[in-house]
Amino acid sequence: MLFVCCGPAGSVSAPTIVVLGDSLSSAYGIPATSGWVALLGERLSRKGYAHRVVNASVTGDTTRGGQARLPALLVREKPAIVILELGGNDGLRGIGTQVTAANLGDMIRMSREVGARVLLLGIKLPANYGPAFGEAFHRIYLDAAASRQVALVPFFLEGVALDPALMQDDGIHPNARAQPVLLETVWPVLEPLL
């Protein structure tokens, strides 16, 4: 999925925000216009920011998939900001935490090499994955943000994941009502980067 929303029409000089994520950012199961990324574009426009938002999120994507797609995105979009929302599918598939950490680190490095600021959105695994793996997995985001000095939302689904009223029937994907909550979680960390 790749769509551009908001920002001045036809303006290639507007700063670009690239969101590289998975189903949590691709508006899985809901209209794309209801997703938090689309809502972000609307908020930027309303607040007078000239930024374009490019949603390069793909349902089911892993950090390896994002790592493979990112170089072309960086060349094409020349982003000012890259929001990385990946890793959840790595955890759900039992991919080793060292692999996920290395892939996230590589994406942070690539983004910085083109002058982009990075915002990392942390993920936590469901409790049935066990406390040891769950803690090691979440630590990936905390360690990456601290060691690489990037902005971090510690838990992207804060206030959403454990509220059945904000989740789709699968219990994994936020519904349309949750999308404004996700944006409110991201916004205070993102705005200082604008």
Side-chain angles (χ1 to χ4, degrees), residues 11-22:
S11 172
V12 294
S13 62
T16 300
I17 300 171
V18 168
V19 180
L20 186 62
D22 53 32

Side-chain angles (χ1 to χ4, degrees), residues 22 39 55 69 75 87 102 107 121 135 148 157 164:
D22 53 32
L39 298 178
N55 192 348
R69 293 187 303 112
V75 169
M107 288 185 281
L121 304 185
E135 176 57 35
R148 298 175 187 275
L157 297 180

Side-chain angles (χ1 to χ4, degrees), residues 86-161:
L86 284 169
N89 289 312
D90 294 45
L92 295 176
R93 295 174 190 180
I95 294 172
T97 55
Q98 290 179 331
V99 172
T100 302
N103 292 342
L104 285 172
D106 197 39
M107 288 185 281
I108 292 168
R109 178 191 56 77
M110 287 189 284
S111 300
R112 284 187 154 165
E113 284 177 353
V114 300
R117 292 177 296 283
V118 177
L119 171 55
L120 187 59
L121 304 185
I123 300 295
K124 293 181 180 178
L125 294 177
N128 62 323
Y129 279 76
F133 184 61
E135 176 57 35
F137 178 81
H138 187 240
R139 174 117 334 254
I140 292 169
Y141 298 95
L142 305 177
D143 290 348
S147 66
R148 298 175 187 275
Q149 298 179 337
V150 296
L152 173 70
V153 171
F155 183 34
F156 177 47
L157 297 180
E158 187 70 47
V160 171

